[in-house]
Amino acid sequence: DFVREAARLNPQMLPKVPARFREDRQLMVDMVSRNWKLLEHASPQLRADRDLVSIAARQLYKALQFAAPEVLDDRAFMLRMVQMNWRSVEYLPMELRSDPDLFLAAVKQDAAAIDTADPQLQDDRRFMLDATKLNNEVLAYIPNDGTLKHDIDFWAGVITELPVPTGSQLALEQYGPPELRSNRKVMEAAVRQDWQVLELASEDLRRDPGLAAEAIKQSWKAADIALVVPVEAMTEAVKQDWRAILRFLREPHEEAELLELVRINPTVVQAQELRGRKNAVLEAVRIQGKVLQWVAKELQDDQEVVQAACDQTW
């Protein structure tokens, strides 16, 4: 009892006391509760005591260096340790360094934990996608010369599985390789989620009619980003908003094409270039007389135009 009390009063004595006292669980619980470093002096049996190791590790994860190997091999125990402090992964045995759940728990706290994982786990597409969902900064730890860095399916997954617009920003602007912007599969996945991503596509893909059409389905404004706008896509853009006609007018066109767009949305005559074009105005007022208010003054006074507007309105 004297030795126990002396050790409690002066923990520095612990390494010098007889071994039997270091086998005393209650004494060691008292000691370790005060200072995690004293776990080092516990008997081998007590260093295999998970509760005692937990008491020490709650103070500082580094206490795991004194735990018995069978404790570190215990997956369930180590998962609790990692959930408590991600740096506990430093003490994982090799066979647990490929365990996805352990490292997902770790990267949720700090992306740097991924550096400790088995290289095969770091190259696992599914695991890395799940890790990215928990902590986007994991992507910063993908090595530039690794297979995952240039894995098109991985980056497509980042785009489609993460919230919009986060996925596209991470893949196309922050962490993905430059070649993603010229990969149609990747850009199609991105544009389907957010039309504005079309602006990040390579010049060749901004000329892609399919991508333009996909983006314009979401917003007519995508017509201003696309370098080539197919007829069907322009029709969709003009249906959405008359201002899309400005994109159409920037390029050479047939009169018949223009009049077709006027019929689709007569309000396009608000465009400065069309206000004074009689053929376009006539086509517009025949369908929607009130657009007369937006045309040039000379056409508002034109008998043929006025009559066509009146015929439509009344």
Side-chain angles (χ1 to χ4, degrees):
D1 290 341
F2 171 78
V3 173
R4 289 189 180 89
E5 188 59 27
R8 286 191 178 97
L9 293 173
N10 186 1
Q12 283 74 24
M13 287 182 57
L14 191 60
K16 301 175 183 178
V17 302
R20 69 178 185 276
F21 291 101
R22 286 181 270 129
E23 295 172 355
D24 185 320
R25 188 179 190 282
Q26 189 54 55
L27 175 64
M28 291 309 302
V29 167
D30 290 346
M31 295 295 96
V32 171
S33 296
R34 299 182 192 184
N35 188 335
W36 63 270
K37 292 181 180 179
L38 296 178
L39 180 64
E40 179 182 10
H41 305 296
S43 67
Q45 182 181 0
L46 288 179
R47 283 190 283 119
D49 185 310
R50 287 155 178 75
D51 290 336
L52 185 61
V53 174
S54 292
I55 291 171
R58 285 193 192 101
Q59 297 171 52
L60 188 66
Y61 74 97
K62 290 184 178 181
L64 292 171
Q65 66 188 291
F66 304 128
E70 57 265 36
V71 174
L72 301 180
D73 287 339
D74 184 333
R75 180 186 181 278
F77 176 81
M78 290 306 293
L79 179 58
R80 291 196 298 274
M81 294 299 100
V82 171
Q83 289 169 336
M84 187 165 60
N85 188 319
W86 70 270
R87 289 187 178 276
S88 298
V89 296
E90 295 174 16
Y91 298 98
L92 289 173
M94 288 308 299
E95 56 268 24
L96 289 181
R97 291 182 183 244
S98 59
D99 188 296
D101 292 336
L102 285 168
F103 279 93
L104 288 176
V107 299
K108 186 176 183 180
Q109 300 169 55
D110 196 306
I114 200 67
D115 272 346
T116 316
D118 184 287
Q120 287 189 334
L121 189 61
Q122 295 181 45
D123 277 339
D124 185 282
R125 184 187 300 156
R126 182 67 264 160
F127 167 76
M128 289 298 289
L129 281 171
D130 291 340
T132 301
K133 291 177 188 178
L134 293 173
N135 190 334
N136 299 163
E137 292 180 10
V138 166
L139 296 174
Y141 291 86
I142 297 176
N144 288 331
D145 57 353
T147 57
L148 204 62
K149 188 72 170 184
H150 303 279
D151 185 329
I152 296 302
D153 290 331
F154 171 73
W155 292 108
V158 170
I159 290 168
T160 58
E161 295 189 28
L162 270 69
V164 177
T166 301
S168 293
Q169 290 171 345
L170 293 172
L172 301 173
E173 298 184 73
Q174 291 179 259
Y175 299 113
E179 64 262 27
L180 293 181
R181 298 187 180 201
S182 58
N183 184 281
R184 196 183 191 286
K185 178 179 180 179
V186 169
M187 293 309 302
E188 183 177 22
V191 168
R192 281 180 176 172
Q193 292 197 314
D194 182 1
W195 64 271
Q196 296 178 84
V197 175
L198 183 61
E199 194 165 12
L200 300 176
S202 66
E203 185 172 328
D204 283 347
L205 288 182
R206 287 174 64 196
R207 295 181 184 280
D208 187 295
L211 287 183
E214 183 62 44
I216 289 170
K217 272 195 274 185
Q218 300 171 49
S219 173
W220 65 272
K221 293 179 181 179
D224 278 330
I225 300 173
L227 298 179
V228 173
V229 181
V231 174
E232 297 82 1
M234 183 57 73
T235 298
E236 173 61 30
V238 170
K239 280 181 183 177
Q240 293 178 30
D241 194 291
W242 72 267
R243 288 171 290 181
I245 200 68
L246 301 177
R247 169 68 177 83
F248 174 81
L249 294 171
R250 288 207 303 263
E251 296 185 4
H253 55 269
E254 300 291 335
E255 184 74 6
E257 294 174 331
L258 171 62
L259 296 181
E260 180 59 31
L261 293 175
V262 172
R263 285 190 286 271
I264 287 167
N265 185 350
T267 64
V268 297
V269 294
Q270 293 178 75
Q272 188 66 37
E273 189 175 331
L274 297 182
R275 290 177 182 179
R277 288 178 66 166
K278 185 172 181 178
N279 285 349
V281 169
L282 266 175
E283 198 68 39
V285 298
R286 285 169 182 161
I287 297 169
Q288 193 171 324
K290 68 178 184 180
V291 301
L292 185 63
Q293 65 184 304
W294 293 312
V295 306
K297 182 67 169 61
E298 62 269 22
L299 290 181
Q300 288 179 341
D301 295 333
D302 185 286
Q303 184 176 357
E304 184 181 10
V305 171
V306 173
Q307 187 60 55
C310 291
D311 290 345
Q312 192 282 322
T313 305
W314 290 286

